[in-house]
């Protein structure tokens, strides 16, 4: 009931205020999205023990994001292509849903279907609205970006059809189709930007934060008998506290600044473009780090059917 009420409220805001989707995207990206990405320090500390290795990994992380951002600023259509491919890979991260499946081929198709739904369904359900947004986001490259997006979306549909035909009952997984159904309803009821904002800022980010917190608690239990894990647990705890405080400060700054500085129509372009560039840039090192820690994140203690 609460979900239906929330969806109805979002639909009202989406239809009543032209910039509702933009501001929701900005707000969730800079709060829960920022927090879920900032928790990468926990994964870095686990993956790279020692101050020197951790510093080197952090420098590589930042350098990869900066270089990709520079590339995205040079080519809007390339940014869209990179972001779509990375999103399919990252949003389909198993997180214990089908990672321990004995049939690797089926797990791979599961991943593409689940990861593709949030970014491919908008191109099929809300083509007209998406075409209106793309020029704002990527400027003169909008036509190329749209062609790439549509092509990938139909390829995704084809893969879903082939997967169902070949794998049959193996793809009839409740968690998988529950995810696709939720994304489908969001895109059917809301604008593409609003629907993606809800998926990324609420569903995806919350799942990542939950799993980091779960593994952190699991590490605390192990740390009672293992000095190495106890040290890692202490560092992870500090990282979670620091990123939580940073997120809180950011939210307070936004709450104070945004009412004083309403975005003019001419500024929408820059805001959305920079948000997409930043999101694309940090997604690369983030997904690499998450994939490297996939076994840790999908361990039994943090497995969740959602």
């Amino acid at each position: 009931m609460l979900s239906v009420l929330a969806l109805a409220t979002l639909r009202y805001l989406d239809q009543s205020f032209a910039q509702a989707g933009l501001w929701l995207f900005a707000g969730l990206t800079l709060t829960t999205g920022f927090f879920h990405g900032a928790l990468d320090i926990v994964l870095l500390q686990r993956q790279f023990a020692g101050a020197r290795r951790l510093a080197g990994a952090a420098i590589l992380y930042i350098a990869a994001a900066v270089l990709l951002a520079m590339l995205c600023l040079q080519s809007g259509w390339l940014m869209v292509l990179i972001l779509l491919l990375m999103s399919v890979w990252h949003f389909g991260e198993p997180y214990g849903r089908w990672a321990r499946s004995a049939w690797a081929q089926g797990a791979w198709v599961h991943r593409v279907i689940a990861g593709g739904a949030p970014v491919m369904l908008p191109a099929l359900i809300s083509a007209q609205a998406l075409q209106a947004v793309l020029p704002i986001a990527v400027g003169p490259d909008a036509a190329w970006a749209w062609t790439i997006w549509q092509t990938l979306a139909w390829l995704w549909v084809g893969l879903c059809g082939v997967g169902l035909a070949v794998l049959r009952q193996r793809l009839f997984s409740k968690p998988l189709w529950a995810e696709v159904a939720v994304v489908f309803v969001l895109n059917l009821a809301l604008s593409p930007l609003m629907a993606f904002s809800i998926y990324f800022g609420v569903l995806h980010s919350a799942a990542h934060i939950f799993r980091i917190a779960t593994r952190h608690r699991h590490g605390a239990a192990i740390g009672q008998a293992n000095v190495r894990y106890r040290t890692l647990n202490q560092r992870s705890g500090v990282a979670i506290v620091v990123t939580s405080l940073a997120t809180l400060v950011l939210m307070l700054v936004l709450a104070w600044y945004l009412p004083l500085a309403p975005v003019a129509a001419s500024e929408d372009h820059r805001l959305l473009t920079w948000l997409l560039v930043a999101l694309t840039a940090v997604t690369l090192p983030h997904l690499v780090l998450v994939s490297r820690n996939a076994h840790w994140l999908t361990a039994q203690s943090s497995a969740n059917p959602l």
Side-chain angles (χ1 to χ4, degrees), residues 239-264:
I240 290 175
V241 170
V242 170
T243 49
S244 298
L245 291 175
T247 302
L248 178 61
V249 170
L250 181 60
M251 292 175 68
L252 292 174
V253 170
L254 286 172
W256 173 81
Y257 175 75
L258 292 181
L260 302 178
V263 175

Side-chain angles (χ1 to χ4, degrees), residues 66-108:
V66 170
L67 290 174
L68 188 54
M70 294 173 62
L71 179 63
C72 291
L73 288 171
Q74 298 299 317
S75 175
W77 69 264
L78 186 59
M79 175 180 69
V80 169
L81 175 62
I82 293 173
L83 183 57
L84 289 174
L85 294 178
M86 290 193 304
S87 297
V88 171
W89 178 259
H90 183 54
F91 291 154
E93 191 75 48
Y95 279 148
R97 296 170 292 189
W98 47 81
R100 288 173 297 280
S101 172
W103 37 284
Q105 185 183 26
W108 179 81

Side-chain angles (χ1 to χ4, degrees), residues 32-259:
T32 56
F34 169 82
F35 181 56
H36 113 277
L39 286 177
D40 279 0
I41 187 62
V42 176
L43 303 182
L44 281 170
Q45 288 176 332
R46 179 186 177 276
Q47 195 75 37
F48 303 96
R52 183 174 298 179
R53 292 189 67 206
L54 181 60
I59 291 172
L60 285 176
Y61 187 105
I62 295 170
V66 170
L67 290 174
L68 188 54
M70 294 173 62
L71 179 63
C72 291
L73 288 171
Q74 298 299 317
S75 175
W77 69 264
L78 186 59
M79 175 180 69
V80 169
L81 175 62
I82 293 173
L83 183 57
L84 289 174
L85 294 178
M86 290 193 304
S87 297
V88 171
W89 178 259
H90 183 54
F91 291 154
E93 191 75 48
Y95 279 148
R97 296 170 292 189
W98 47 81
R100 288 173 297 280
S101 172
W103 37 284
Q105 185 183 26
W108 179 81
V109 177
H110 269 96
R111 180 166 189 163
V112 174
I113 293 175
V119 291
M120 298 306 174
L121 282 176
L124 303 171
I125 297 174
S126 307
Q128 188 174 358
L130 201 57
Q131 281 182 293
V133 171
L134 274 177
I136 300 175
V138 299
D141 286 347
W144 273 105
W146 176 244
T147 301
I148 290 170
W149 204 333
Q150 276 270 287
T151 302
L152 290 176
W154 284 112
L155 287 174
W156 176 77
V157 170
L159 178 66
C160 292
V162 172
L164 284 170
V166 174
L167 298 172
R168 297 177 185 175
Q169 70 273 16
R170 292 180 177 181
L171 277 184
F172 288 94
S173 164
K174 288 184 179 179
L176 171 65
W177 295 111
E179 290 182 39
V180 175
V182 167
V183 174
F184 179 81
V185 170
L186 286 175
N187 280 279
L188 203 61
L190 305 171
S191 65
L193 197 54
M194 183 79 87
F196 181 78
S197 300
I198 298 300
Y199 176 82
F200 173 71
V202 179
L203 304 179
H204 173 75
S205 296
H208 185 76
I209 293 168
F210 169 78
R211 283 174 178 83
I212 292 290
T214 300
R215 298 308 296 156
H216 171 70
R217 290 194 299 269
H218 182 61
I222 296 176
Q224 300 298 321
N226 188 304
V227 175
R228 178 179 178 275
Y229 277 99
R230 190 184 309 124
T231 302
L232 175 64
N233 178 61
Q234 292 171 350
R235 292 177 178 176
S236 299
V238 171
I240 290 175
V241 170
V242 170
T243 49
S244 298
L245 291 175
T247 302
L248 178 61
V249 170
L250 181 60
M251 292 175 68
L252 292 174
V253 170
L254 286 172
W256 173 81
Y257 175 75
L258 292 181

